[in-house]
Amino acid sequence: MTVDIRGVNTVNKGAQLMLEAAVERLAPDFPLTAGPIQTAYRVRASLGLEQSLSITGRPLASARLGNLIPSKVRRWYGLVADKDLSGVVDASGFAYSDTFGAARALREASVARRWKRRGVGYVMLPQAFGPFKEKATADATRRLLEQADLVFVRDRVSAEYLDGLRVDVRAQLMPDFTIGLDVPKISPVATESSFIAIVPNKKMYTTGAVEKERYVEDLVRYGSVARSNHGLEPIVITHEVGDADLGEELAYRLGTRVVTDSSPRVLKAMIGQAHAVVASRFHAVVGGLSQGVPTLAYGWSHKYKELLRDFDAETWITSPKDDARDRVDTLLADDATLTAVKAARSSLTGQVDDMWAQTKRALTR
């Protein structure tokens, strides 16, 4: 009974965090696989994952070719053919939307139809969806959803987008499933003073949410206000390799340093040490809130505001229109919201436990 974890990768550290969360919960019950293109061998090996023979860009062709490899050869090299799968979980996070187009949903739907005919359990783990204004994206996503045994949706806005597709599937609201993921003990990020973590995301300007220069100026302003008004040293934490240049630019303009790590759990631990966080990476926001750190979300899609709602912290959203001084001062004085955030964690982790219980039942039906 082998389960394939799809939609994850080890370049995006939020995606890797979701991979690690899925392995932690599913590995005691199932042998697990992940694809070779998206996930580094070093990470797969450390997590005890075998390698599926599915290539994301050519799922049907790779499934057919992989099925032809003799079983003895597959065992020798730790390979898993599509025909050996008994279950599949999609841990994409945010992939089915006009933002990303129809291609991925079409590819996944093509293999999901085969799984359904074979009785392979298929679960879409909590993720954001939509919008679906483009007919091609809407049609492709509808086809994919029709193959699923369970669909978990991460927020109310995404649920409304799915309702608009009028597909015969009940999507259940569930929070992000990395909330309860533990972190390792690490050395102090800052030894001489408390710090505010600045976590940038180039998608803020590549998606058109804000112009790059305005975005950089905003983050510099947040860091400068935290330093001058509250004695917090701004430290830039880069959550992704693709944000490295942006992080260096911010650090130069703030007169500070950049810290990072290849492990998403270490990154989460770094964020947990901060006195406050301003973040544009979704799982950096999750990392701050789930560890009870005052966190301003400066995001590019609806998923950020909805995440804050899960933690009863809707006011901790910020945008280019906001005054940095006011937002930082208010965040650090907002003891009532911080208390609510800490209280919300227990309820949210309980919901995640229920989600995993349902998932395991669907995969063993």
Side-chain angles (χ1 to χ4, degrees):
M1 295 186 64
T2 301
V3 173
D4 191 32
I5 305 173
R6 299 177 72 84
V8 293
N9 66 75
T10 55
V11 175
N12 180 298
K13 294 306 168 185
Q16 185 175 333
L17 201 65
M18 290 189 287
L19 171 63
E20 294 190 12
V23 170
E24 184 172 281
R25 292 303 193 103
L26 296 176
D29 299 283
F30 308 98
L32 300 173
T33 71
I37 302 300
Q38 304 83 12
T39 57
Y41 171 77
R42 173 185 57 81
V43 177
R44 290 199 309 274
S46 69
L47 295 174
L49 295 169
E50 293 187 296
Q51 177 184 305
S52 75
L53 289 167
S54 175
I55 305 300
T56 300
R58 295 287 187 271
L60 275 179
S62 59
R64 288 165 179 153
L65 289 173
N67 288 341
L68 298 176
I69 297 175
S71 59
K72 182 183 294 186
V73 174
R74 298 201 303 272
R75 287 196 300 272
W76 283 345
Y77 293 99
L79 305 176
V80 177
D82 183 81
K83 67 182 179 182
D84 296 326
L85 298 178
S86 62
V88 175
V89 294
D90 184 319
S92 296
F94 188 29
Y96 307 112
S97 162
D98 289 337
T99 303
F100 307 106
R104 182 168 180 167
L106 282 172
R107 291 196 303 263
E108 291 299 293
S110 67
V111 285
R113 279 194 293 271
R114 290 161 54 98
W115 298 329
K116 190 168 187 175
R117 287 196 296 267
R118 285 172 28 213
V120 173
Y122 177 41
V123 178
M124 301 191 79
L125 296 178
Q127 54 192 284
F129 292 92
F132 300 111
K133 295 181 181 178
E134 299 294 329
K135 185 177 185 301
T137 308
D139 289 345
T141 305
R142 189 181 298 111
R143 290 183 206 173
L144 176 60
L145 292 167
E146 287 171 348
Q147 316 310 315
D149 296 287
L150 281 176
V151 176
F152 296 110
V153 59
R154 209 160 54 187
D155 59 78
R156 294 166 181 81
V157 173
S158 294
E160 291 173 1
Y161 286 138
L162 291 190
D163 286 344
L165 294 179
R166 303 197 181 285
V167 62
D168 186 21
V169 63
R170 183 173 70 89
Q172 297 182 57
L173 273 171
M174 285 288 175
D176 180 82
F177 58 91
T178 70
I179 287 171
L181 206 59
D182 291 335
V183 299
K185 291 183 178 179
I186 62 170
S187 300
V189 173
T191 56
E192 297 181 359
S193 63
S194 297
F195 72 98
I196 183 169
I198 310 292
V199 189
N201 183 354
K202 67 179 183 180
K203 279 188 177 180
M204 288 296 299
Y205 48 86
T206 60
T207 59
V210 62
E211 293 183 357
K212 180 183 177 181
E213 185 56 32
R214 175 60 187 270
Y215 178 57
V216 172
E217 288 178 357
D218 283 349
L219 292 186
V220 169
R221 198 173 294 117
Y222 283 116
S224 299
V225 167
R227 176 190 280 148
S228 61
N229 283 24
H230 302 278
L232 299 177
E233 180 64 20
I235 293 179
V236 178
I237 298 179
T238 51
H239 216 260
E240 316 296 334
V241 173
D243 295 332
D245 290 345
L246 175 59
E248 292 291 345
E249 181 178 355
L250 285 167
Y252 175 78
R253 292 178 61 168
L254 280 165
T256 188
R257 60 195 174 94
V258 177
V259 296
T260 191
D261 197 272
S262 61
S263 166
R265 292 199 197 213
V266 170
L267 291 170
K268 183 175 179 179
M270 290 176 176
I271 288 167
Q273 291 184 5
H275 189 79
V277 178
V278 178
S280 296
R281 280 286 171 187
F282 180 84
H283 279 96
V285 180
V286 175
L289 295 172
S290 63
Q291 296 177 92
V293 180
T295 302
L296 276 180
Y298 191 167
W300 59 275
S301 83
H302 67 271
K303 63 181 182 175
Y304 294 84
K305 188 173 183 179
E306 292 300 303
L307 170 63
L308 292 174
R309 182 186 291 186
D310 285 343
F311 280 90
D312 297 322
E314 296 97 321
T315 59
W316 286 1
I317 194 80
T318 191
S319 73
K321 298 181 290 185
D322 292 336
D323 177 76
R325 185 177 301 275
D326 174 70
R327 300 303 291 127
V328 172
D329 290 351
T330 301
L331 174 73
L332 294 175
D334 193 356
D335 293 336
T337 298
L338 183 58
T339 298
V341 165
K342 293 177 178 179
R345 186 181 188 276
S346 177
S347 171
L348 294 171
T349 54
Q351 292 177 55
V352 172
D353 289 343
D354 176 54
M355 181 273 295
W356 285 120
Q358 291 189 56
T359 297
K360 290 177 183 180
R361 287 196 295 271
L363 294 174
T364 55
R365 63 189 177 84

